[in-house]
Amino acid sequence: MVIADFAFILVAAFVLICACVVVFHNKIIYSAFALLFCFFGVAGLYVFLNAEFLAGTQLLVYVGGISVLILFGILLTKNIEDLTSKEVSTQKIFGGLISVTFLGGLIYMVNSVDWKVSTPKPIENSPVEIGKLFMSDFLIPFEIAGVLLLVALIGAVVIGRDTDKDLEV
Amino acid sequence: MNTLTATESIPYILPEIILVIGICAVFLVDLLIKKESKTPVALTALIFVVGAFLALLKIDGLEPSYLFSGMLVLDKMNVYFKYIFIISAAIATLVSMQTYTSRKLNSGEYYAFLLTATLGTLLMSGASDLLTMAMSIEVVSIVSYCLAGYKKEDMESSEAALKYVLYGALSSGIMLYGASILFGLTGETNLAGIHTALATTEVNSIALALSIVMILGGIGYKIAFAPFHFWCPDVYQGSPTPVAAFFSVAPKAAGFAMLLRFISVTFTNDPSFTTWIPEIESIGLQKVLIAISILTMTLGNLSALNQTNVKRILAYSSIAHAGYMLMGMAALSFAGVEAILFYLATYLFMNFGAFFVVDHIGRKVGSDEIYAFKGLNTKAPLLAFTMVIFLASLAGLPPMAGFIGKFYLFSALVSSELYLLAVWGLLNSVVSLYYYWRVAKAMYLEESLSDEKVEFNLSGGVLASILAGFTLILGIYFNPLSVWVKSSVSILFG
């Protein structure tokens, strides 16, 4: 039990440190790599929650897909490697103050609330059960996600392709 | 309570199904026909919108039920909102057909996105589960980003899309965090389930307040209430005008539908807003709503005062109108909900009309600035006259529909004894007169800069006249609408 707790703290700290690098690092390429490791760590957190299927999906979609896409995006954009963020110092101070207050409020809240704890034992063969739920109770969100992805794909193509001749105004 | 399983629910979501088929059909027609003529694509979209409307007539009489094991709901209020969305989709399609005949911007994707946005708003108004709420907001948002950035070669349009994405991503994130807190407190995602959990067990009211405020943030981004309104003027100015008109009506109405359902189903014990779950009393939900509505209408009206671009004026005015409608929400009464429903119907016609005229001027004169409207009365009497009707209605002058809408709102406030808020709303309406008057003055009292022809063609004139006609008729003969609104106010509980 103690070892599991220790491992959890390790993974959580890893996620937090990576997330901080994403936010605070000036160079976008470092942020992108930190985001990749952050996604890895989140997959680890899912394992602690007995959500192995979700952890696998997280690795496939976020680490394998989205982070790599972000890296490609950075590599294919001109002059972006040398780009450093330009913030006005008043923005930093105000933004920092709001964020710290909000963080304090959240920490206080998380500690003071009796969270609803789920009592049933974790399911052994979770992908099967998830699949069944997708086709029964969660059919509508599943279908909405289908439409959403279709339109997002086509939208990305529309926005991303070269301005071709037949789109001239 | 009547909860249906997936297969039983299918007849209840007929309009949505028709729209999904329509999206695919528009893509297919776009592929099959020649590049030069795009009218068939627009016609296909229009046919499916009409089909969805007919399907809506068919499901109008069905018994209110929870669908798909409680993920969606169909009740009277939901059906009313669906009429608003489908009518605004039809008007947006018609306006786009007008706009894009001369341009080649008129591609199949555009109409498919419009249909998807409509589908998203239909789902938003019916969402009765945190999961479907978040998903349907995402559908509307993602499509909106694409539509806002549709004129890629236009810098303003690209900037609008980028701002929209950034604000949208932030507010979705905030809303999901709030939803996760609410789930952590109650162990339920279904709104009715959350209500049962909140009514039977005591929860930490600070956490509850935080989650409510965060969820309001996500919905508020769609409604564009302060302080989530910053994207609004830039996006409306940069987007293609028919799209801006659609954004200012349908997603806003969908946001209100979601807000009404979320607040009433989750936190009240009975449909008439009399008793609430105990924690809500200590949070002071009404005070929060009053503060948001005051902030929204004041910021909207004051920022509109010194604008010179008419599209931006309409954007700020749409923020102010969201503020007026939030007053109805803050009344927390049946009368307030009725007033919102009535106001949305009138707002649909007057706002689409105003945007349509601006779009027309923008194409003929090549500018959305106020000076482009100078001397319009001599050049294009019909155009100027319809615009004055829309502006007068937006300002809330009798005998226009906007006046009746405001009248309902203020009487709802008075019956909830929120006198100060009502006075503040009236003051705001007076302020708004100034900037509507500036546009009207330019059209009627100032000399034109050039003599080029800007009058509508036949179909444009018919469309503008129909919109102006509704704006006038709903101001004089509003009884049928108000009867319909009264019967639509019931939200499915339990």
Side-chain angles (χ1 to χ4, degrees), chain B residues 8-77:
Chain B
E8 290 165 339
S9 316
I10 288 171
Y12 289 74
I13 57 157
L14 208 55
E16 283 91 337
I17 294 175
I18 289 180
L19 283 176
V20 173
I21 298 172
I23 295 164
C24 305
V26 167
F27 281 133
L28 280 181
V29 171
D30 187 37
L31 284 177
L32 292 177
I33 59 155
K34 288 204 177 81
K35 290 261 174 191
E36 286 76 41
S37 98
K38 290 290 184 183
T39 331
V41 180
L43 277 180
T44 317
L46 195 61
I47 289 167
F48 278 95
V49 171
V50 171
F53 186 82
L54 295 177
L56 191 55
L57 287 175
K58 197 170 166 341
I59 63 166
D60 199 345
L62 290 178
E63 195 191 342
S65 318
Y66 281 102
L67 315 174
F68 294 97
S69 330
M71 286 284 161
L72 287 178
V73 70
L74 186 87
D75 56 19
K76 291 276 185 206
M77 192 186 80

Side-chain angles (χ1 to χ4, degrees), chain A residues 102 106 108-109 112-113 115-116 136-141 144-145 147-148 150-152 154-156 158-163 166-169, chain B residues 6 27 68-69 71 103-104 109 113 116 119 123 131-132 135 138-139 142-143 146 149-150 152-153 177 181 184-186 204 206-207 210 214:
Chain A
F102 196 63
L106 280 181
Y108 173 75
M109 183 204 75
S112 60
V113 171
W115 295 103
K116 194 101 176 174
S136 57
D137 287 355
F138 292 85
L139 182 65
I140 264 294
I144 299 176
V147 177
L148 179 65
L150 170 74
V151 176
I154 293 168
V158 168
I159 300 256
R161 76 178 163 199
D162 270 341
T163 324
D166 52 79
L167 264 176
E168 278 168 11
V169 179
Chain B
F27 281 133
F68 294 97
S69 330
M71 286 284 161
R103 305 178 186 191
K104 289 177 180 170
E109 292 91 3
F113 290 157
T116 319
L119 171 74
L123 291 167
L131 197 59
T132 31
M135 296 291 297
E138 272 326 291
V139 172
I142 299 256
V143 183
C146 302
Y150 205 77
K152 274 181 303 183
E153 64 291 332
Y177 202 110
I181 295 174
L185 288 171
T186 58
N204 184 311
I206 297 173
L210 201 63
M214 287 170 114

Side-chain angles (χ1 to χ4, degrees), chain A:
Chain A
M1 221 33 214
V2 183
I3 297 171
D5 284 349
F6 182 69
F8 174 79
I9 291 169
L10 215 61
V11 174
F14 177 73
V15 172
L16 276 180
I17 292 167
C18 291
C20 285
V21 175
V22 175
V23 178
F24 293 115
H25 207 286
N26 265 334
K27 291 213 166 166
I28 194 162
I29 192 91
Y30 285 81
S31 291
F33 272 106
L35 189 65
L36 194 151
F37 288 113
C38 184
F39 286 149
F40 250 122
V42 172
L45 291 181
Y46 286 142
V47 174
F48 281 105
L49 294 169
N50 287 312
E52 290 86 0
F53 180 68
L54 201 54
T57 319
Q58 166 86 8
L59 282 180
L60 270 177
V61 175
Y62 283 89
V63 182
I66 291 176
S67 315
V68 173
L69 262 183
I70 290 175
L71 286 173
F72 265 119
I74 292 169
L75 289 176
L76 294 177
T77 312
K78 276 180 205 158
N79 303 329
I80 204 172
E81 291 93 340
D82 310 323
L83 204 69
T84 49
S85 64
K86 284 180 225 148
E87 281 162 327
V88 192
S89 58
T90 48
Q91 276 179 338
K92 267 188 183 166
I93 294 168
F94 274 111
L97 270 178
I98 292 172
S99 311
V100 169
T101 329
F102 196 63
L103 179 69
L106 280 181
I107 291 175
Y108 173 75
M109 183 204 75
V110 167
N111 282 323
S112 60
V113 171
D114 290 336
W115 295 103
K116 194 101 176 174
V117 181
S118 145
T119 39
K121 277 211 167 126
I123 300 161
E124 281 294 314
N125 200 356
S126 61
V128 175
E129 294 304 316
I130 291 172
K132 279 181 187 161
L133 281 174
F134 268 150
M135 284 296 132
S136 57
D137 287 355
F138 292 85
L139 182 65
I140 264 294
F142 183 65
E143 293 297 331
I144 299 176
V147 177
L148 179 65
L149 288 176
L150 170 74
V151 176
L153 272 174
I154 293 168
V157 173
V158 168
I159 300 256
R161 76 178 163 199
D162 270 341
T163 324
D164 52 15
K165 275 84 207 165
D166 52 79
L167 264 176
E168 278 168 11
V169 179

Side-chain angles (χ1 to χ4, degrees), chain B residues 32-322:
Chain B
L32 292 177
I33 59 155
K34 288 204 177 81
K35 290 261 174 191
E36 286 76 41
S37 98
K38 290 290 184 183
T39 331
V41 180
L43 277 180
T44 317
L46 195 61
I47 289 167
F48 278 95
V49 171
V50 171
F53 186 82
L54 295 177
L56 191 55
L57 287 175
K58 197 170 166 341
I59 63 166
D60 199 345
L62 290 178
E63 195 191 342
S65 318
Y66 281 102
L67 315 174
F68 294 97
S69 330
M71 286 284 161
L72 287 178
V73 70
L74 186 87
D75 56 19
K76 291 276 185 206
M77 192 186 80
N78 183 235
V79 170
Y80 180 87
F81 272 107
K82 284 182 177 175
Y83 277 113
I84 289 187
F85 303 142
I86 289 182
I87 292 172
S88 46
I91 301 176
T93 316
L94 287 171
V95 174
S96 306
M97 283 165 87
Q98 283 288 320
T99 308
Y100 296 143
T101 42
S102 55
R103 305 178 186 191
K104 289 177 180 170
L105 195 66
N106 197 2
S107 69
E109 292 91 3
Y110 174 83
Y111 290 100
F113 290 157
L114 210 55
L115 290 184
T116 319
T118 316
L119 171 74
T121 52
L122 290 185
L123 291 167
M124 267 175 85
S125 73
S128 60
D129 190 287
L130 291 176
L131 197 59
T132 31
M133 278 168 70
M135 296 291 297
S136 52
I137 282 194
E138 272 326 291
V139 172
V140 178
S141 302
I142 299 256
V143 183
S144 305
Y145 309 148
C146 302
L147 281 173
Y150 205 77
K151 295 191 287 182
K152 274 181 303 183
E153 64 291 332
D154 181 357
M155 287 292 279
E156 268 182 6
S157 184
S158 305
E159 186 191 334
L162 190 63
K163 280 188 177 158
Y164 210 9
V165 171
L166 292 177
Y167 278 111
L170 179 70
S171 59
S172 299
I174 292 177
M175 176 170 173
L176 286 175
Y177 202 110
S180 77
I181 295 174
L182 200 54
F183 176 72
L185 288 171
T186 58
E188 291 275 354
T189 57
N190 191 286
L191 294 186
I194 292 173
H195 174 253
T196 321
L198 289 175
T200 47
T201 53
E202 208 170 296
V203 295
N204 184 311
S205 58
I206 297 173
L208 185 63
L210 201 63
S211 77
I212 293 174
V213 168
M214 287 170 114
I215 292 175
L216 282 187
I219 301 173
Y221 158 73
K222 279 273 147 268
I223 299 177
F225 68 51
F228 294 94
H229 69 285
F230 294 105
W231 57 273
C232 194
D234 291 320
V235 169
Y236 288 6
Q237 191 188 2
S239 313
T241 314
V243 171
F246 183 77
F247 283 167
S248 69
V249 177
K252 203 167 268 215
F256 272 105
M258 190 175 268
L259 187 65
L260 281 169
R261 189 176 306 284
F262 176 64
I263 287 184
S264 58
V265 174
T266 319
F267 303 119
T268 56
N269 289 330
D270 60 308
S272 57
F273 295 97
T274 39
T275 54
W276 296 76
I277 59 153
E279 288 84 1
I280 286 293
E281 309 283 347
S282 60
I283 292 170
L285 181 66
Q286 192 171 30
K287 288 198 191 80
V288 175
L289 289 171
I290 290 174
I292 294 174
S293 83
I294 287 180
L295 198 63
T296 309
M297 60 183 155
T298 315
L299 276 175
N301 277 322
L302 292 184
S303 322
L305 286 179
N306 56 0
Q307 298 297 325
T308 56
N309 183 304
V310 182
K311 257 168 118 178
R312 279 187 95 83
I313 290 180
L314 285 179
Y316 281 114
S317 110
S318 88
I319 296 172
H321 283 274

